Amino acid sequence: MKKIIIFLTIIIFVCSCSKPESEQVLKISTTSWIGYSPLYYAKEKGWLDDANIKLVNAVSLSENMYLYQAGHSDAFCGTQYEYSVLKKQQPNLIPLMLFDRSNGGDLIMSNRSIDELKSGNKPINAYLEMDSINFILLNDFIKTHHIDEQRIHYINRDQVEISVLTNASPNEQVIIVTYIPFDISLRKNGFKEISSTKYGLDLLVIDGLYAPKTTFVKHEKQFKKLKEFSDKAITALQNHPHEFYKIVKPYIGSLNYQEFNDNLGDIVWINKKLTKLLKARIRQASLPIKDIL
């Protein structure tokens, strides 16, 4: 009888020390994109710690995708392009949250005008993150303006490397595919915006959170809390923008408050009810919305 009591005591102790699956750490990989700043705000407020959610920061869209592929995160933030690539490898991958759509936040920059790029015959050095939606943006730009693709020399770089490029060779024709806030340093270095998701590129670029269906089932309560935290953070941004900025500043590079506000004008939050028109465009982009929180 004594042995049975001791055995039961051990079982109760072990069970009390182990967390249920829904309370295990949920790791989410993300980048410094301003559309994900509500997640940084939630982290700094301690909300993510309370829900046992951890952010894993990446320097580029492609690295973010690789972190997820390597198993360093359970879910990842990205555009519908990264989702479509990984969906082929993981058929049960689903979109769980939508943050924003780009409205000028993704752009094409150059040291030449569009007419100069079209009429020239020299090679064009195109800097971009190849394994990201940057590639789709560049192809759309090339086709729209009838630029010979054979002239394009694709140069794969992450946005940190791209942001330090300088217009030091006037004879070199350069196209840069980038996104906010990396465009700020490029403008200072002599490059100009020639097209964007606001003007010239008729592309829908959606930023969301993606995970396998099995991961959602395992961490459902945490994902739902994350959605609440994100919405709460966006409300805080809208009501107290300067306070929000001070809290997320360590995660958004060297942006000053004015630059931060200007960048916010290049995205549209879509965390609430979607319009019929936007739903239709999202479906056209092959992004299912039935599981969206």
Side-chain angles (χ1 to χ4, degrees), residues 229-286:
F229 298 154
S230 178
D231 290 346
K232 187 177 177 182
I234 292 172
T235 299
L237 168 61
Q238 293 167 341
N239 293 337
H240 306 286
H242 194 263
E243 178 186 342
F244 183 97
Y245 164 75
K246 289 191 293 184
I247 290 174
V248 303
K249 192 177 186 304
Y251 301 93
I252 56 175
S254 59
L255 291 182
N256 61 40
Y257 180 58
Q258 184 59 53
E259 290 169 337
F260 175 73
N261 267 332
D262 291 344
N263 279 187
L264 286 174
D266 292 325
I267 64 171
V268 176
W269 298 111
I270 54 172
N271 59 307
K272 296 298 178 68
K273 188 176 181 179
L274 302 175
T275 65
K276 289 183 178 180
L277 178 60
L278 185 55
K279 282 183 179 180
R281 291 201 66 186
I282 290 174
R283 290 192 184 100
Q284 286 176 356
S286 300

Side-chain angles (χ1 to χ4, degrees), residues 20-227:
E21 285 190 334
S22 62
E23 294 182 3
Q24 294 298 314
V25 63
L26 171 62
K27 292 179 288 184
I28 297 171
S29 56
T30 185
T31 66
S32 59
W33 172 251
I34 197 169
Y36 306 138
S37 58
L39 300 181
Y40 315 141
Y41 183 88
K43 177 182 177 181
E44 289 301 303
K45 282 291 187 178
W47 302 341
L48 299 190
D49 289 338
D50 292 342
N52 208 13
I53 299 171
K54 179 182 178 182
L55 295 185
V56 181
N57 292 325
V59 299
S60 68
L61 292 168
S62 53
E63 185 193 42
N64 190 30
M65 191 165 59
Y66 299 149
L67 282 172
Y68 172 77
Q69 286 177 304
H72 296 300
S73 63
D74 305 300
F76 69 96
C77 296
T79 70
Q80 73 268 24
Y81 175 83
E82 290 79 45
Y83 163 77
S84 67
V85 170
L86 292 175
K87 177 77 171 176
K88 295 174 184 177
Q89 303 169 19
Q90 295 186 332
N92 66 339
L93 193 68
I94 56 173
L96 291 175
M97 290 173 54
L98 298 181
F99 295 102
D100 66 273
R101 68 174 179 85
S102 177
N103 188 37
D106 294 88
L107 56 153
I108 308 287
M109 304 186 75
S110 181
N111 62 346
R112 295 286 190 274
S113 68
I114 293 176
D115 287 339
E116 288 175 315
L117 291 171
K118 287 170 60 177
S119 60
N121 54 17
K122 292 182 178 180
I124 300 172
N125 289 330
Y127 294 85
L128 72 160
E129 292 180 44
M130 289 289 290
D131 295 328
S132 77
I133 201 163
N134 283 185
F135 186 74
I136 303 299
L137 289 165
L138 179 58
N139 278 348
D140 185 80
F141 176 79
I142 291 170
K143 291 177 181 178
T144 298
H145 297 289
H146 308 290
I147 297 173
D148 184 1
E149 189 177 351
Q150 293 187 0
R151 293 173 55 206
I152 303 298
H153 177 213
Y154 295 90
I155 303 174
N156 188 26
R157 296 285 189 276
D158 66 49
Q159 290 299 329
V160 174
E161 294 174 299
I162 290 173
S163 66
V164 298
L165 292 173
T166 59
N167 187 21
S169 302
N171 294 326
E172 180 185 11
Q173 294 192 346
V174 175
I175 290 177
I176 297 172
V177 188
T178 188
Y179 49 88
I180 58 174
F182 297 105
D183 63 308
I184 293 175
S185 59
L186 290 168
R187 294 178 196 275
K188 294 176 181 177
N189 292 344
F191 297 99
K192 295 182 180 180
E193 176 183 336
I194 57 174
S195 192
S196 75
T197 47
K198 182 182 288 186
Y199 303 110
L201 296 175
D202 188 26
L203 286 173
L204 178 69
V205 180
I206 294 285
D207 291 289
L209 175 69
Y210 312 92
K213 183 73 172 181
T214 49
T215 301
F216 171 68
V217 172
K218 179 178 178 180
H219 295 278
E220 183 173 356
K221 290 182 180 179
Q222 287 162 293
F223 280 118
K224 288 181 176 178
K225 285 181 181 178
L226 185 67
K227 171 60 176 173

